[in-house]
Amino acid sequence: MDKRIEPANQGKFIDPAVTADGSARATVALTRPTTLWFNTGTLCNITCEGCYIESSPTNDRLSYLTVSEVADYLDQIAERGWPVREIGFTGGEPFMNPDFLAMMRQSLASGYEVLVLTNAMKPMQRPHVAAQLSRLIEEAGTRITLRVSLDHWTEEGHDAVRGAGSWAATLEGVDWIAAQSCKLTIAGRARWQETEAEARAGYAALFADRGWPVDAAHPGALVIFPEMDLSVEVPEITTACWGILHKSPEDVMCSSSRMVVKRKGERPSVAACTLLPYEAEFDMGHTLAEAERPVALNHPHCAKFCVLGGASCSA
């Protein structure tokens, strides 16, 4: 097991069946698999502070997927009869994978919408990549959504996370995307001492100044993700929590999605969640059929990000 539980949560998140106080742990069934994610590989052109997956120019812990491996899982979707409408791609930086544009084309040709999580920096902006991406967008239009990571609405905040010069490079990429016919959304982070209303107002001013067609008030157009800090104590989620919190298991991401990963030296397998690509306990097997079993909410991210934070990586 590779949970890396910090001292604040020692004694918790151990038994998948029960919590530390002996209560029945909450589980989530795969009731409506509408999104299948692919992690294209953990290599990234930058190293960000607090990256949950530790992507960097040297981290190849998750190897590059190939277009043939993606095509195999697209076939499995049809075989299993999953009602998938969206194929999501994340990394690392997806545009670093040499097969990535072919993966997008294959997914679109199979009838799916495509969501790409990107930093919109140099890997996407390379002339040959931008030209091919532009052609794909011309063909598919709003069936493609590019979600760009813009950690804060100020240069100071964004560069504090992603490094000096990241802001300018990202704005250049988003300006290019905004001129295309695809959908543009933005992903920020809730790591600053400001309210959500203040953050959305700051982003709104930026979007207006740049002429970007993004509604900062819409939670799907501007997604502000909670921080995933394992050093912060979080409560475990029991079966009783659904009633206490007035939530349903179907509100949680693992009721509607899975993610394909390729750990270094291994063949592709299916992870329960986009946030837990390394943890052995959340590996569900090599096939979508194996991945249909319920998921025990046995990690701090399950509580803070999904149940209490109400966040989702899907569009």
Side-chain angles (χ1 to χ4, degrees):
M1 187 184 304
D2 182 17
K3 283 191 175 182
R4 297 175 291 176
I5 302 299
E6 296 292 334
N9 291 299
Q10 288 294 332
K12 297 181 178 181
F13 305 104
I14 296 174
D15 189 323
V18 296
T19 62
D21 68 359
S23 301
R25 186 178 304 282
T27 61
V28 173
L30 184 70
T31 54
R32 46 183 181 85
T34 53
T35 301
L36 182 62
W37 286 92
F38 291 92
N39 187 297
T40 61
T42 39
L43 286 173
C44 187
N45 56 302
I46 56 175
T47 301
C48 299
E49 180 183 314
C51 176
Y52 78 96
I53 203 170
E54 300 173 351
S55 296
S56 76
T58 59
N59 179 12
D60 61 352
R61 194 173 175 186
L62 297 185
S63 300
Y64 282 152
L65 284 171
T66 66
V67 66
S68 61
E69 289 165 341
V70 169
D72 175 64
Y73 282 96
L74 297 181
D75 289 342
Q76 290 185 48
I77 291 173
E79 291 167 4
R80 301 305 300 170
W82 284 18
V84 169
R85 61 170 181 79
E86 173 187 70
I87 301 299
F89 292 101
T90 184
E93 171 51 48
F95 286 102
M96 289 183 67
N97 185 313
D99 272 9
F100 179 56
L101 289 164
M103 295 176 192
M104 288 185 65
R105 183 172 293 280
Q106 179 69 56
S107 301
L108 292 163
S110 298
Y112 300 109
E113 297 177 17
V114 167
L115 170 63
V116 182
L117 310 192
T118 178
N119 58 37
M121 295 174 72
K122 289 183 178 179
M124 188 200 77
Q125 294 178 35
R126 288 172 291 172
H128 71 284
V129 172
Q132 293 179 66
L133 178 58
S134 182
R135 286 195 291 271
L136 274 179
I137 292 171
E138 287 177 3
E139 297 168 8
T142 55
R143 290 176 59 210
I144 296 174
T145 299
L146 299 180
R147 179 187 291 166
V148 180
S149 297
L150 197 65
D151 290 313
H152 197 240
W153 47 274
T154 66
E155 180 175 6
E156 179 183 21
H158 181 79
D159 280 4
V161 175
R162 296 185 175 250
S166 297
W167 171 264
T170 298
L171 294 194
E172 182 180 349
V174 180
D175 285 343
W176 182 87
I177 295 170
Q180 310 299 310
S181 60
C182 62
K183 293 179 183 176
L184 166 65
T185 62
I186 299 293
R189 289 167 67 172
R191 60 179 285 140
W192 287 270
Q193 298 302 312
E194 61 188 13
T195 66
E196 181 175 338
E198 290 169 337
R200 290 191 180 277
Y203 278 108
L206 172 66
F207 299 164
D209 180 64
R210 306 295 298 193
W212 296 346
V214 181
D215 180 0
H218 193 293
L222 170 60
V223 185
I224 300 180
F225 287 118
E227 287 295 278
M228 294 179 287
D229 184 354
L230 291 176
S231 68
V232 175
E233 185 174 7
V234 295
E236 295 183 281
I237 304 301
T238 70
T239 54
C241 288
W242 302 123
I244 295 169
L245 298 171
H246 304 292
K247 290 191 174 184
S248 164
E250 293 192 357
D251 297 331
V252 182
M253 191 162 52
C254 52
S255 73
S256 60
S257 68
R258 294 289 185 265
M259 182 172 74
V260 178
V261 302
K262 185 163 71 172
R263 299 178 185 88
K264 191 173 183 178
E266 302 179 16
R267 63 190 177 105
S269 60
V270 186
C273 174
T274 58
L275 308 179
L276 300 168
Y278 300 134
E279 284 76 0
E281 183 180 354
F282 290 88
D283 185 287
M284 309 199 77
H286 295 291
T287 67
L288 296 188
E290 294 172 281
E292 290 174 351
R293 68 180 186 274
V295 177
L297 301 186
N298 195 28
H299 193 281
H301 291 345
C302 303
K304 185 172 183 182
F305 186 89
C306 293
V307 177
L308 300 176
S312 173
C313 292
S314 299

